[in-house]
Amino acid sequence: ELLATALDNVKALGFNTVIVQMRPNADSFYPSEYYPWSHFINEDYGKYASYDPLEIFIEEAHARELSFQAWINPMRGMSVADSKLLNPAYPMASWLKDSSKSRYLFVGSYDKKPSYYFNVYYEEVRQLIIDGAAEIVRYYDVDGVHMDDYFYPGNDAAMDDEELEAEKLKTPSMTLRKLRNDSLNKLVSGIYSAVKAENKNVLFGIAPAGNINNVRYSHFADVDTWCGNKGYIDYIMPQIYWGFEHSVCPFAETYQLWSDLCCDDVDFMVGLTFANAIYGYEGIYFDEFINNKDIYKKTYEYMNAQSNFEGFSIFCYQYFYDPISGVQRIETKEELKNSLPALAEIPSKKIEY
């Protein structure tokens, strides 16, 4: 019932696609051969669900003529504490017990907890992520696979310092950025090929963070290669989560920086968030959102006037409606109402399934 209400609301607002998280922490919202059931489904790791949330979600979305994209986080794992609950049959659990594969996983920080990240320098690690994406397309009627911005967790060289030294013995000019770019490029092209091998009509797209310099030099995502060449992604959807007056990444200029990267084989889309409307309502930041209630209207109008604009998404549903009660959020109500006429003017380009 909660799901039906949410999808009805999405449809009523004029959207044509839902992008739904399936793998937040090297886990799964469906029965997977490669990843354990997520604690978001069963409260704790080490448990098994008696139903398939992904199957239900896809059926309900398609019944409303909404396209469905499965969203995965590529490199971020669960906390070190949660990993101790994993069934040893899963690849990640087996790596933790195998000293020869100790470099496959790196302990960083997520949600203020020591957490694992995958080291995608290693082919076996990349293949796990690729296989996990491929099985979604193989067994479910999804219209796309969507990957977001959890790549390298910053500039900590300890994650792959030994690998970098090994590569420098072969190529003295190798740098940390080049090493990580190469590793991610192999991962991204591998997912693209695996998705297309399962179903050539299913899209594969990525939503990197919006600050292009951070993406290049802190996340080590080679977006220039992904956007400029066929065989990596079908679309790029940078998370341009700012208004037109932002001091570092103003919307229009940031839009153009990203869109200029795209070749004819890569569609340009935009990731937005209504969180700023909440912050503005509460008087937290930014002044542009505190003092105006038509920023999203202007954003839609700007995007729709661009020749290379192919679509957008908004993070996330809970900023429009309470996901449990279904009651509309008062903080975003005025901004949403003002934006809907401009949203209606954007041509629908829903994926045909």
Side-chain angles (χ1 to χ4, degrees):
E1 184 178 343
L2 293 176
L3 175 58
T5 297
L7 292 174
D8 287 343
N9 287 336
V10 169
K11 182 75 174 180
L13 288 174
F15 294 98
N16 60 28
T17 300
V18 288
I19 302 173
V20 182
Q21 179 63 263
M22 289 292 120
R23 182 159 299 122
N25 301 99
D27 49 14
S28 179
F29 284 13
Y30 62 92
S32 170
E33 179 181 350
Y34 306 101
Y35 291 92
W37 277 101
S38 175
H39 67 111
F40 288 109
I41 302 297
N42 298 316
E43 295 186 359
D44 291 307
Y45 288 101
K47 297 181 179 180
Y48 299 85
S50 60
Y51 67 104
D52 187 340
L54 178 51
E55 182 178 23
I56 295 169
F57 219 127
I58 293 171
E59 289 178 354
E60 293 294 324
H62 283 175
R64 292 164 176 78
E65 297 188 335
L66 292 167
S67 294
F68 184 99
Q69 294 200 29
W71 167 14
I72 61 174
N73 290 338
M75 294 175 65
R76 187 181 73 193
M78 72 282 295
S79 70
V80 172
D82 283 337
S83 71
K84 300 181 187 305
L85 302 174
L86 299 183
N87 185 312
Y90 290 110
M92 179 176 171
S94 69
W95 296 344
L96 289 170
K97 297 180 182 299
D98 186 344
S99 60
S100 70
K101 298 178 180 179
S102 62
R103 300 289 300 178
Y104 283 17
L105 296 160
F106 171 78
V107 178
S109 178
Y110 176 72
D111 197 24
K112 299 180 180 179
K113 301 175 184 176
S115 300
Y116 284 113
Y117 286 83
F118 287 137
N119 185 351
V120 294
Y121 171 84
Y122 293 97
E123 181 178 2
E124 188 174 358
V125 177
R126 296 195 301 269
Q127 195 60 49
L128 172 65
I129 301 170
I130 292 167
D131 289 341
E135 73 173 351
I136 294 174
V137 182
R138 183 179 309 130
Y139 297 121
Y140 295 95
D141 187 20
V142 298
D143 304 292
V145 173
H146 177 91
M147 197 161 80
D148 73 350
D149 61 334
Y150 285 98
F151 300 112
Y152 285 93
N155 291 291
D156 190 342
M159 182 173 186
D160 41 16
D161 54 354
E162 294 182 16
E163 292 77 9
L164 177 59
E165 290 306 311
E167 289 297 321
K168 281 184 174 180
L169 294 176
K170 296 181 285 186
T171 309
S173 61
M174 180 63 67
T175 63
L176 180 66
R177 184 186 178 199
K178 180 68 166 59
L179 177 81
R180 292 183 172 182
N181 281 176
D182 290 349
S183 297
L184 277 177
N185 288 350
K186 291 174 183 176
L187 173 65
V188 170
S189 63
I191 294 175
Y192 179 90
S193 297
V195 166
K196 298 303 180 181
E198 296 292 340
N199 186 335
K200 65 180 181 180
N201 296 316
V202 171
L203 296 181
F204 173 53
I206 295 180
N211 186 317
I212 198 167
N213 287 325
N214 286 348
V215 169
R216 286 169 172 155
Y217 301 109
S218 293
H219 298 175
F220 298 93
D222 187 5
V223 291
D224 302 82
T225 293
W226 304 349
C227 295
N229 299 276
K230 186 175 183 178
Y232 289 90
I233 53 177
D234 292 303
Y235 69 82
I236 194 79
M237 187 186 285
Q239 300 169 28
I240 309 179
Y241 285 0
W242 307 285
F244 293 88
E245 299 173 6
H246 192 268
S247 60
V248 178
C249 295
F251 183 85
E253 289 86 341
T254 305
Y255 180 107
Q256 296 301 331
L257 281 174
W258 280 101
S259 66
D260 288 348
L261 297 183
C262 294
C263 67
D264 291 341
D265 295 303
V266 177
D267 286 337
F268 180 68
M269 304 186 189
V270 179
L272 305 173
T273 180
F274 253 68
N276 290 326
I278 295 177
Y279 300 142
Y281 178 90
E282 296 175 345
I284 300 174
Y285 59 78
F286 300 94
D287 285 349
E288 185 175 2
F289 290 90
I290 293 173
N291 299 325
N292 302 279
K293 301 302 174 187
D294 62 351
I295 304 303
Y296 294 92
K297 171 181 177 291
K298 293 178 179 177
T299 299
Y300 296 161
E301 291 172 344
Y302 178 87
M303 295 189 301
N304 202 26
Q306 308 306 308
S307 61
N308 60 350
F309 172 61
E310 291 293 332
F312 74 100
S313 71
I314 291 182
F315 182 85
C316 59
Y317 175 77
Q318 69 180 21
Y319 296 150
F320 295 138
Y321 297 93
D322 184 286
I324 304 301
S325 68
V327 174
Q328 187 173 9
R329 295 284 298 268
I330 186 67
E331 302 96 325
T332 58
K333 187 175 182 178
E334 184 179 0
E335 184 78 71
L336 177 61
K337 179 181 178 181
N338 291 338
S339 72
L340 289 178
L343 172 61
E345 293 298 315
I346 298 176
S348 178
K349 299 180 181 181
K350 182 174 68 70
I351 305 163
E352 295 297 330
Y353 51 80

